[in-house]
Amino acid sequence: MIRACAVADLPVGEALRVDGPVPIAVFHTDDGFFAVDDTCTHQDASLADGWLEGCFVECPLHAARFDLRTGAPTCLPAKNPVRTHRVVVADGAVHVDAPVPAVS
């Protein structure tokens, strides 16, 4: 698990990008916190920069839309889902179960 942010730092309706080997977008919706791979599966665009509506995010580049609960695209041009990540809120912080690079 990696710490994404403090709960207080991500208001409802907002998103942030967590940089790493695979960038992750973390969203705070009325239904809670969700995390998905940050890159749209249609073309290289940050979903954290997209438009959030309920549990859906619209890519800012070509308006592909994804369900944050499942990662499934809900319209074209995206055909492939984005990977979702488990989110845990504990001690006032948002944590994401995300890939961590191997230590050499």
Side-chain angles (χ1 to χ4, degrees), residues 2-60:
I2 59 170
R3 185 182 186 281
C5 64
V7 169
D9 291 340
L10 189 59
V12 173
E14 297 293 323
L16 64 83
R17 177 184 166 118
V18 178
D19 289 318
V22 176
I24 295 172
V26 180
F27 299 89
H28 190 179
T29 74
D30 287 330
D31 292 334
F33 292 91
F34 296 92
V36 299
D37 282 358
D38 185 50
T39 305
C40 178
T41 58
H42 169 251
Q43 200 162 6
D44 192 17
S46 171
L47 294 175
D49 291 337
W51 294 276
L52 185 61
E53 185 175 329
C55 286
F56 299 91
V57 63
E58 183 178 304
C59 176

Side-chain angles (χ1 to χ4, degrees), residues 44-98:
D44 192 17
S46 171
L47 294 175
D49 291 337
W51 294 276
L52 185 61
E53 185 175 329
C55 286
F56 299 91
V57 63
E58 183 178 304
C59 176
L61 196 56
H62 293 118
R65 194 169 143 115
F66 298 90
D67 186 326
L68 296 173
R69 298 165 292 193
T70 65
T74 61
C75 68
L76 294 174
K79 295 178 183 175
N80 298 316
V82 289
R83 181 172 48 173
T84 61
H85 301 278
R86 185 170 64 97
V87 176
V88 174
V89 177
D91 299 322
V94 179
H95 301 271
V96 178
D97 193 359

